[in-house]
Amino acid sequence: MPLPHPDPSPGAASGARRLARQHPAALTWLFLCSTGGALAALALPAALGHTVDRLVSGGPVPWAGLLLCAALTLAETGFDAAAAVTGTTTSARLTASLRARTAARILAAEPRRALALPTGDLTARLTARTADAASAPVTAAGAVAGVLLPLGALVGLLLIDVMTAAALLLGAPLLVALLRTFTRGTADAGADYQRAQSLIAHRLTEALEGADTIRAARTGAREHRRVLEPLAALAEHGRRTWTVYGRAVGRSGLLLPLLMLLVLAVAGLRLGAGAIGVGELVAASRYASLAVGIGSLTGALGSLARSRAAARSLDPLLTLAPLPHRGLGPVPDAPGHLELRDVGVEQDGRPLLTGVHLTVPGGTSLAVVGRSGSGKSQLAAVAGRLLDPDTGSVLLDGVPLDGMEPARLRREVAYAFARPALLGTTVEDTIAHGPWTASPDAVRDAARAARADGFLALLPYGYATPVADAPLSGGERQRLGLARAFAHPGRLLILDDALSSLDTVTEHHVRRALDARAGRCTRIIVAHRLSSAARADRVAWLEGGRLRATGRHDELWEDPDYRAVFSTDGGGTDSSGRDRSGTGDTTAGGGSGTDTTAGGTGAGTDGTVPSLTAAETR
């Protein structure tokens, strides 16, 4: 599958170019060090020639000249070393800054635009491309030496002897053509190489995300071939890069010695004619060597070409517009009254939601049910502005979500997902992570509400256990995601299939924690299980992206099409909502739940979970 290559907006400035303004002191110091090293290198031939003339004349040893040559040599070495250290550290800082800025742009943008690129390609741009693009200011500041040395050497030759300088100028057009061809070829090959890398990263990410499916289907060999198939193109682009470089080296290896020989031959003839002295011949040979030594310049040009290609790939991300808003805030102390007015969502020209009108009174719970692909997750995303609708509007306590300042909105809306991302270093960090950092007490209270405290107590270091070292099942990951949502209470809590991997008893206790928030928190639960719908205050039934009906579960249960939403391929449910196969609670098609036992909607005073009865489902 070819990767999309969105073009940046016309005239958009690259983020890499803006980086130079963020570390002016370091780049200025790098410029000064590069310039100082180049000037020392240019002054050394003149000092050396003058010292040689003094030695040849037979007079006293020119100690001052010898000391000056030694000082210039040390100065050149010292400046070059300082430039190397400064360039390395500054590149690292610029890379970190560019990555942070690019990531911030992605997170602040509307999700559909931010995630238009495949995950693997996006990862490649945030890692390798940012490093290449961020090196541009450092390379440009350090390239002063690459430009100053040949120009200064030419001036030095002109001061020594015009005829010798003219010999060097004869080869200048060939040198310029060589550099131009090298730069253009390197840029084209580098851009193609980066695109092939992104394609491999995208396919590898897909394979890693679907590793269980690949293993179960025994298609590992096929996926291996699919992921590595772009390697042939990658190798070809790599060979092109090295071919361009090799041709440049080969041509320069032929041209530069011939040019050097021509300069020295003319300088020797001029020495024989008495136009220049021995010291000037030495200085002329040194200047000729500096003038034709374009290795550092070709390296800088190649690096700038790669940086330019990388910067172009980052421009679509750096020019992402942030979510628009009008700076509004939520109504103070409101209950979380949610309204969806004629909401529609499209993707690639295909409607996902159409004309959804829905009202959720503040402090109540709403179960969103429907078959796979009916638009449940899109509705959950729209309800908390993880997604902007293409048509219609969403209001929270009368305030349009697209007018509310995003940071303030995020404090009012908490999400939990079927596959939560566990951010942070430790388990406690993961639960505390959010619009604000939850306190240790809030973390532990939230873990208890999500029934995560039991397995956390068994981890090697409890809440301080690193997430990477915690062997977590799918249900345990979901409980951590729920705990994170509970630790950051707002007026709206949205669970997007966040109970699917919980066992029946754990789900029952989590639901009790949800019910305890009645009256002060509106709860939207994307549900696959019958028990989720039966326990909610109201149910929104989606079909084909449209809202087919809303009402209490027992009212909707009279419709056989509604009952069919909760049936399995194995037999369906009877009129009481119980599975005829005797396995209890069923899941809608596409559900990822692991629980197949009876999922009660309520509990007795002893904390047990009763089975659903006809009275409870009707």
Side-chain angles (χ1 to χ4, degrees):
M1 181 184 69
L3 296 176
H5 300 293
D7 294 325
S9 58
S14 168
R17 289 195 291 270
R18 297 192 190 99
L19 289 175
R21 305 169 191 167
Q22 298 182 15
H23 297 274
L27 291 174
T28 300
W29 174 244
L30 176 61
F31 173 82
L32 293 176
C33 289
S34 300
T35 303
L39 293 177
L42 290 172
L44 181 58
L48 186 61
H50 181 72
T51 302
V52 169
D53 279 338
R54 293 285 301 276
L55 289 172
V56 171
S57 66
V61 177
W63 292 109
L66 292 174
L67 290 175
L68 177 60
C69 291
L72 289 173
T73 302
L74 291 175
E76 180 184 1
T77 304
F79 278 126
D80 288 346
V85 173
T86 304
T88 301
T89 55
T90 306
S91 291
R93 291 171 182 167
L94 292 176
T95 299
S97 178
L98 182 57
R99 283 175 180 163
R101 185 168 177 269
T102 307
R105 279 279 187 173
I106 294 171
L107 294 175
E110 204 274 337
R112 279 183 296 180
R113 296 183 180 276
L115 301 179
L117 293 172
T119 303
D121 185 26
L122 188 61
T123 302
R125 297 192 191 205
L126 282 172
T127 52
R129 303 296 177 274
T130 50
D132 288 337
S135 67
V138 173
T139 302
V144 173
V147 176
L148 189 59
L149 284 175
L151 292 179
L154 178 60
V155 172
L157 281 175
L158 286 171
L159 294 175
I160 292 173
D161 183 62
V162 174
M163 296 299 294
T164 304
L168 178 63
L169 288 174
L170 287 176
L174 294 177
L175 284 176
V176 172
L178 177 64
L179 292 174
R180 184 178 180 183
T181 302
F182 171 76
T183 303
R184 182 179 300 171
T186 300
D188 294 341
D192 292 340
Y193 189 88
Q194 290 174 355
R195 282 193 285 270
Q197 275 185 321
S198 295
L199 181 57
I200 292 175
H202 167 57
R203 293 185 177 181
L204 179 60
T205 302
E206 284 184 329
L208 291 175
E209 290 177 347
D212 291 339
T213 302
I214 294 170
R215 189 180 300 111
R218 298 182 65 83
T219 57
R222 186 188 311 167
E223 283 300 306
H224 183 270
R225 290 192 297 270
R226 186 182 75 90
V227 171
L228 298 184
E229 183 265 335
L231 272 181
L234 186 72
E236 175 60 27
H237 300 321
R239 282 192 292 270
R240 279 176 54 204
T241 302
W242 285 108
T243 298
V244 170
Y245 182 76
R247 287 175 179 172
V249 171
R251 290 169 182 170
S252 64
L254 177 64
L255 174 63
L256 299 183
L258 290 177
L259 188 57
M260 184 75 177
L261 180 62
L262 176 62
V263 172
L264 290 178
V266 172
L269 292 175
R270 298 292 287 170
L271 175 65
I276 61 174
V278 175
E280 291 173 314
L281 175 63
V282 172
S285 66
R286 177 61 180 167
Y287 280 131
S289 177
L290 292 176
V292 301
I294 61 172
S296 61
L297 187 57
T298 55
L301 290 175
S303 178
L304 286 173
R306 290 192 299 273
S307 298
R308 185 179 179 184
R312 282 198 299 267
S313 73
L314 292 177
D315 275 340
L317 303 179
L318 291 167
T319 54
L320 285 171
L323 275 175
H325 63 88
R326 299 190 294 277
L328 303 178
V331 176
D333 302 323
H337 183 85
L338 183 68
E339 294 180 75
L340 279 70
R341 298 178 179 175
D342 195 27
V343 165
V345 175
E346 293 185 0
Q347 182 174 352
D348 299 328
R350 182 172 64 91
L352 302 179
L353 290 176
T354 304
V356 175
H357 290 272
L358 183 63
T359 299
V360 187
T364 65
S365 62
L366 175 77
V368 182
V369 305
R371 296 187 182 276
S372 179
S374 60
K376 299 186 298 297
S377 290
Q378 283 73 30
L379 188 146
V382 165
R385 209 192 180 191
L386 291 185
L387 182 68
D388 274 342
D390 295 295
T391 60
S393 59
V394 183
L395 293 84
L396 182 62
D397 293 316
V399 181
L401 294 191
D402 59 2
M404 199 178 301
E405 202 277 322
R408 301 175 72 178
L409 174 62
R410 292 276 70 87
R411 298 181 71 89
E412 300 298 332
V413 182
Y415 270 93
F417 300 97
R419 299 176 61 186
L422 302 183
L423 307 175
T425 304
T426 65
V427 172
E428 182 168 354
D429 292 339
T430 294
I431 300 175
H433 185 85
W436 67 91
T437 301
S439 67
D441 290 340
V443 166
R444 281 150 182 78
D445 290 342
R448 282 191 291 272
R451 303 295 288 179
D453 55 333
F455 75 83
L456 290 180
L458 300 178
L459 294 177
Y461 304 103
Y463 287 84
T465 302
V467 176
D469 298 338
L472 301 174
S473 67
E476 289 168 343
R477 295 178 69 91
Q478 279 194 353
R479 280 183 268 175
L480 288 182
L482 286 165
R484 181 168 55 202
F486 289 160
H488 302 86
R491 67 185 68 190
L492 180 60
L493 174 60
I494 301 174
L495 308 185
D496 187 359
D497 204 19
L499 307 177
S500 58
S501 295
L502 303 186
D503 61 83
T504 304
V505 174
T506 300
E507 180 190 3
H508 162 68
H509 286 287
V510 171
R511 290 188 180 282
R512 291 184 63 181
L514 289 171
D515 291 343
R517 287 164 168 74
R520 52 191 174 90
C521 175
T522 303
R523 291 139 290 143
I524 296 179
I525 305 163
V526 173
H528 289 292
R529 292 179 176 177
L530 180 62
S531 56
S532 297
R535 189 154 189 161
D537 295 322
R538 292 183 68 81
V539 176
W541 175 16
L542 291 175
E543 189 173 271
R546 294 180 180 273
L547 188 61
R548 176 162 174 176
T550 60
R552 290 180 55 82
H553 169 74
D554 55 355
E555 297 168 348
L556 297 176
W557 190 258
E558 301 295 335
D559 190 327
D561 290 341
Y562 178 77
R563 295 198 298 270
V565 170
F566 300 96
S567 67
T568 64
D569 294 335
T573 57
D574 61 21
S575 60
S576 68
R578 294 176 65 89
D579 181 17
R580 287 201 302 262
S581 65
T583 57
D585 185 24
T586 60
T587 60
S592 58
T594 58
D595 176 29
T596 56
T597 61
T601 63
T605 56
D606 59 354
T608 59
V609 185
S611 300
L612 286 173
T613 65
E616 289 172 321
T617 57
R618 292 219 150 180

